[in-house]
Amino acid sequence: MLLCDFHIHTTYSDGSVNLRRTVDLFGQAGFDVIAITDHVVNGDNTMGRLAHKLKFSVREDNFDEYMGRIRQEAERAWDKYGLLIIPGVEISKNHLSADKSAHFILLDIKEFIPACWDYKRIFTEAKEQDALIIACHPHHMSDLSRDTLFLWNNRERYAKYIDAWEIANRDDVFNVISLKKYPYIANSDFHKVRHIYSWKTLLNCEKKIEPVKQCIRHNKGVAITLFRR
Amino acid sequence: MEIFWFFAGFTILGLIGYGFQIIAVRSQISSLNAGEGQAPPLSPYLPPISVLKPLKGIDDNLFDNLESFCMQDYPEFEIIFSLQDHNDLAYKVARKIKEKYPDRDISIVVERCDDGLNPKVNNLIPACRASKYRYILVSDSNVLVDRDYLKEIVKHMQDPAVGLVSNMIKGVGGRTSGSIFENLHLNSFVLGSVCFLDRFLKMPCVVGKSMLMRKSDLEAIGGFKAVKDVLAEDYIIGKKMKEAGRRVVLSNYMINTVNKHWGMKNFLNRHTRWGKLRWKIGGIQYVSELITNAVFMSFIPILLYKPSRITIAFALFTSLLKIMGDLYLGRIMKADIKFPFYMLSPVKDIAIGCIWVIPLLSNTVVWRGNRYTIGKASLLSPCAENSRWRYRIADVIKARFA
């Protein structure tokens, strides 16, 4: 089984550990597959503009550099640790109301997609790029300040676009995902070193990008595990 | 004012003691350059070695630490990674290392061993059984070594009187406050004390990060089973070796202990545990640790006495001397601690002084997730979860009001 974490932030957005150190941290701990998924924040409201100002978001002008650095690190990680790195972003539609906010990962993205586009347009563009769409922390979390409920509240409309839902995020478990029988994975939402000890995904597939994506999409050979000291 | 002079006397005593520690470290390191204590290089003595790596959980830098053993410039050796179960987080890392170095003689022993109460020894018993060579090297999972490590330490074994070789240790890689404190303490107090005891008092003080022995010598003192129920298995092995008439050598080859992401809690927990261990082994000698903590001693008059210009100036001057001493030690051992972090050295010493008293009040230790009661000579006995002090106090209160 491959030990995986598909939700990791670095200093390219609001993570506290830079990309190289993040890769080393996961490599040293024996991970098989990780995805670097820094925030792409909507810049169409005050919160979003503030995130852009504070450089807590990957932007269109630094997206190529971001992807280039991930590719470099992916090569190094593969040679040194046998660690597969998948590039991605976390589209972050932040609003004051939790009901209007949504975060979702686009895994194996190729071109920049702005977070201020409407949902349907983003999902369609992501599908065209053959990226995987994963709904992040879709239900109520223990940290009340960052609930993102839009996708869950509008699941009838958007579930068809979503390849997997986070059934567990860091310390939280969302049993509603299993009750609805949605495809699931579990991630750390890594921002700080200590977040490495959190829920993770185990995949029974080949250690290559396409088989990993297929495994998540079909949700066969997927398990979750709590990675802790 | 008498209080001030009383503590000032102890502070000066502590600074003199620290000075001797610095001299001991310096002479130990310089003997490396001068070749003192090393066997004459007539013919290279390179017997096959079994490296035993007991693993439990993920240590900082684990992959690189284990990999550094696979990159040894040594003709014949095996590496045995030993774990209690397949679900241990370190198992995956050990597997990856084995896959990365298919040409190396690496085996992974996964065996639940409940022979004793010391989890490290429980890991070592099956590993030792699986080892095939005459020489065994016990090495902790947070140890990072250079390519010539095996070649350098095995030289001492050319002398048949030598029973055990341990190493000088250096804390490296600190990135958080806890790990910087840990590395500062390892590179000053721990290394200084080990070298001082070895050079001046001729007392073996084995630190279990690295222990090279002949299997026959270990078996002669009862094997790992003889230390299965003690916390300080390294110290006891060294003591038993000496009692058996074998020489215990502190190699001047320095190994790295990687502490990168430690929290302050880890630092305080470890040194409380080590303090309890030294209290149970050394008894009244443990008091000398407080007296030789010059910085802590220099600050006591400020707390007990009205802060005055002289008490504050004295404490600051002592702190400055300690910082300079630590800086000097760091320089001679080529430590990777950045200059500004040495300013934290007095704060670390005060923290160590504050936790000094805990071993006198409590005899329970938590190590790698297990809780024990620690007795004389660090003998362990099981400790039920509900015998934590707060529960014990609750029990006393309940009993009183029942």
Side-chain angles (χ1 to χ4, degrees):
Chain A
M1 294 288 264
L2 304 178
L3 179 61
C4 317
D5 192 334
F6 299 106
H7 191 166
I8 295 169
H9 298 278
T10 70
T11 45
Y12 268 101
S13 59
D14 59 349
S16 65
V17 188
N18 69 32
L19 178 60
R20 192 180 175 89
R21 280 190 188 169
T22 303
V23 168
D24 282 331
L25 195 69
F26 282 86
Q28 297 284 349
F31 278 74
D32 295 300
V33 187
I34 60 167
I36 303 297
T37 56
D38 275 298
H39 292 285
V40 171
V41 183
N42 58 324
D44 54 0
N45 62 21
T46 316
M47 280 175 78
R49 277 193 288 276
L50 192 67
H52 278 265
K53 200 144 198 158
L54 295 170
K55 299 197 170 164
F56 283 168
S57 172
V58 173
R59 302 170 314 274
E60 191 164 11
D61 63 319
N62 72 348
F63 181 76
D64 288 343
E65 181 211 322
Y66 169 72
M67 293 292 275
R69 282 291 317 280
I70 294 176
R71 270 193 293 273
Q72 267 178 21
E73 283 302 314
E75 254 178 60
R76 186 178 71 87
W78 184 258
D79 292 342
K80 184 167 175 161
Y81 305 112
L83 170 65
L84 176 69
I85 299 182
I86 306 174
V89 292
E90 182 182 8
I91 298 287
S92 308
K93 284 179 165 289
N94 294 332
H95 296 273
L96 283 176
S97 157
D99 290 326
K100 285 185 182 170
S101 300
H103 285 196
F104 49 94
I105 288 168
L106 305 181
L107 209 65
D108 195 25
I109 187 178
K110 279 95 184 170
E111 302 289 332
F112 184 74
I113 299 177
C116 52
W117 285 2
D118 65 69
Y119 286 93
K120 199 177 165 194
R121 192 174 169 201
I122 294 175
F123 292 150
T124 311
E125 176 61 27
K127 294 282 174 201
E128 271 177 27
Q129 291 187 23
D130 195 28
L132 220 58
I133 300 166
I134 298 160
C136 305
H137 34 80
H139 213 253
H140 294 287
M141 289 183 285
S142 46
D143 178 2
L144 293 172
S145 63
R146 56 182 197 117
D147 272 351
T148 49
L149 305 173
F150 181 83
L151 287 175
W152 183 254
N153 292 343
N154 295 277
R155 58 190 179 277
E156 308 295 340
R157 224 162 117 200
Y158 293 116
K160 62 184 174 195
Y161 297 106
I162 293 168
D163 296 296
W165 299 70
E166 277 186 349
I167 197 164
N169 176 289
R170 203 176 298 161
D171 300 317
D172 293 308
V173 181
F174 311 111
N175 62 342
V176 289
I177 305 299
S178 77
L179 291 171
K180 282 282 171 194
K181 297 187 170 53
Y182 283 155
Y184 63 89
I185 59 170
N187 292 320
S188 69
D189 200 352
F190 177 92
H191 284 78
K192 295 174 181 170
V193 171
R194 66 183 156 87
H195 294 160
I196 198 170
Y197 297 104
S198 55
W199 285 98
K200 304 283 179 242
T201 306
L202 293 169
L203 297 182
N204 191 9
C205 67
E206 211 183 332
K207 203 195 292 184
K208 286 181 181 167
I209 292 185
E210 281 313 315
V212 166
K213 281 162 67 181
Q214 286 305 314
C215 192
I216 295 173
R217 231 174 235 142
H218 298 145
N219 231 234
K220 282 192 178 144
V222 179
I224 64 168
T225 184
L226 187 53
F227 186 85
R228 58 181 168 194
R229 283 173 205 270
Chain B
M1 208 59 190
E2 288 80 9
I3 294 173
F4 170 72
W5 288 115
F6 178 77
F7 285 102
F10 280 124
T11 303
I12 292 163
L13 211 63
L15 286 172
I16 292 168
Y18 185 54
F20 276 109
Q21 287 186 346
I22 292 174
I23 293 166
V25 175
R26 210 186 102 168
S27 66
Q28 187 74 20
I29 290 174
S30 57
S31 67
L32 170 72
N33 305 324
E36 183 196 316
Q38 292 179 15
L42 291 173
S43 60
Y45 182 67
L46 304 167
I49 299 175
S50 297
V51 179
L52 315 185
K53 297 288 280 185
L55 304 178
K56 185 164 171 55
I58 300 281
D59 282 301
D60 291 338
N61 217 46
L62 184 61
F63 190 95
D64 281 352
N65 298 346
L66 302 186
E67 189 176 38
S68 69
F69 283 80
C70 302
M71 292 158 79
Q72 285 301 301
D73 180 16
Y74 199 79
E76 196 176 357
F77 66 103
E78 63 167 346
I79 302 172
I80 302 173
F81 297 127
S82 176
L83 304 103
Q84 290 286 300
D85 65 75
H86 288 91
N87 289 324
D88 194 302
L89 300 186
Y91 178 70
K92 211 160 175 48
V93 182
R95 279 278 303 274
K96 279 196 164 191
I97 293 286
K98 188 173 158 64
E99 282 162 17
K100 189 172 177 183
Y101 293 92
D103 52 333
R104 287 289 187 201
D105 185 358
I106 299 172
S107 40
I108 302 174
V109 175
V110 182
E111 188 180 323
R112 177 131 219 113
C113 172
D114 295 318
D115 285 3
L117 292 169
N118 182 320
K120 181 177 164 186
V121 175
N122 280 346
N123 255 355
L124 285 170
I125 290 169
C128 188
R129 205 184 302 130
S131 64
K132 56 189 180 203
Y133 298 128
R134 255 183 79 208
Y135 287 91
I136 53 166
L137 170 71
V138 177
S139 167
D140 279 2
S141 53
N142 61 354
V143 167
L144 179 77
V145 291
D146 294 326
R147 297 173 85 100
D148 55 348
Y149 165 62
L150 289 182
K151 255 185 192 168
E152 289 298 324
I153 60 163
V154 83
K155 282 177 183 172
H156 297 277
M157 282 293 181
Q158 205 160 359
D159 178 355
V162 171
L164 190 152
V165 183
S166 68
N167 284 81
M168 296 171 81
I169 57 167
K170 172 171 76 175
V172 297
R175 290 206 176 120
T176 55
S177 53
S179 49
I180 288 163
F181 269 39
E182 175 67 15
N183 293 342
L184 279 171
H185 199 58
L186 286 180
N187 297 354
S188 56
F189 173 77
V190 175
L191 183 64
S193 305
V194 168
C195 291
F196 178 82
L197 291 172
D198 186 76
R199 301 291 289 188
F200 295 126
L201 304 182
K202 303 292 172 203
M203 275 171 65
C205 184
V206 176
V207 180
K209 302 272 168 214
S210 163
M211 297 190 292
L212 177 67
M213 299 168 273
R214 282 180 203 87
K215 218 189 270 182
S216 54
D217 287 335
L218 180 66
E219 279 159 10
I221 59 165
F224 284 120
K225 292 207 172 179
V227 290
K228 65 184 172 58
D229 291 324
V230 293
L231 183 61
E233 81 290 337
D234 43 6
Y235 174 81
I236 303 291
I237 289 174
K239 196 174 159 216
K240 281 176 180 274
M241 282 281 182
K242 199 181 177 199
E243 283 166 3
R246 317 295 292 163
R247 266 185 66 210
V248 177
V249 174
L250 175 66
S251 167
N252 37 29
Y253 189 86
M254 197 163 297
I255 57 169
N256 302 304
T257 305
V258 184
N259 303 300
K260 266 188 184 172
H261 302 294
W262 276 41
M264 199 53 80
K265 200 175 158 190
N266 295 79
F267 166 74
L268 294 172
N269 279 348
R270 172 186 260 190
H271 292 289
T272 305
R273 193 178 75 234
W274 282 12
K276 286 175 184 174
L277 195 145
R278 292 194 297 270
W279 166 235
K280 292 295 177 185
I281 289 172
I284 199 71
Q285 290 166 27
Y286 180 64
V287 177
S288 67
E289 284 184 22
L290 186 68
I291 296 167
T292 52
N293 187 340
V295 172
F296 185 71
M297 280 291 164
S298 71
F299 273 89
I300 291 179
I302 298 177
L303 296 174
L304 296 181
Y305 200 64
K306 197 173 132 194
S308 65
R309 202 176 291 176
I310 188 166
T311 53
I312 293 170
F314 184 72
L316 292 179
F317 181 66
T318 306
S319 301
L320 183 69
L321 286 179
K322 183 67 181 13
I323 290 168
M324 285 166 65
D326 283 5
L327 257 169
Y328 178 70
L329 277 178
R331 199 172 68 86
I332 60 172
M333 70 171 74
K334 299 183 180 83
D336 67 352
I337 302 170
K338 288 190 179 116
F339 173 75
F341 294 131
Y342 283 98
M343 303 299 153
L344 295 172
S345 176
V347 184
K348 181 267 297 175
D349 283 349
I350 291 169
I352 288 290
C354 292
I355 61 170
W356 176 88
V357 74
I358 298 173
L360 311 182
L361 306 172
S362 158
N363 60 354
T364 58
V365 288
V366 180
W367 185 28
R368 301 252 176 189
N370 303 304
R371 183 174 290 275
Y372 308 103
T373 302
I374 176 171
K376 204 167 162 48
S378 86
L379 190 69
L380 297 168
S381 50
C383 175
E385 232 4 66
N386 66 359
S387 67
R388 286 178 188 185
W389 63 270
R390 58 175 179 269
Y391 294 115
R392 274 184 276 158
I393 289 172
D395 288 344
V396 169
I397 294 168
K398 271 184 211 161
R400 183 105 349 160
F401 292 102

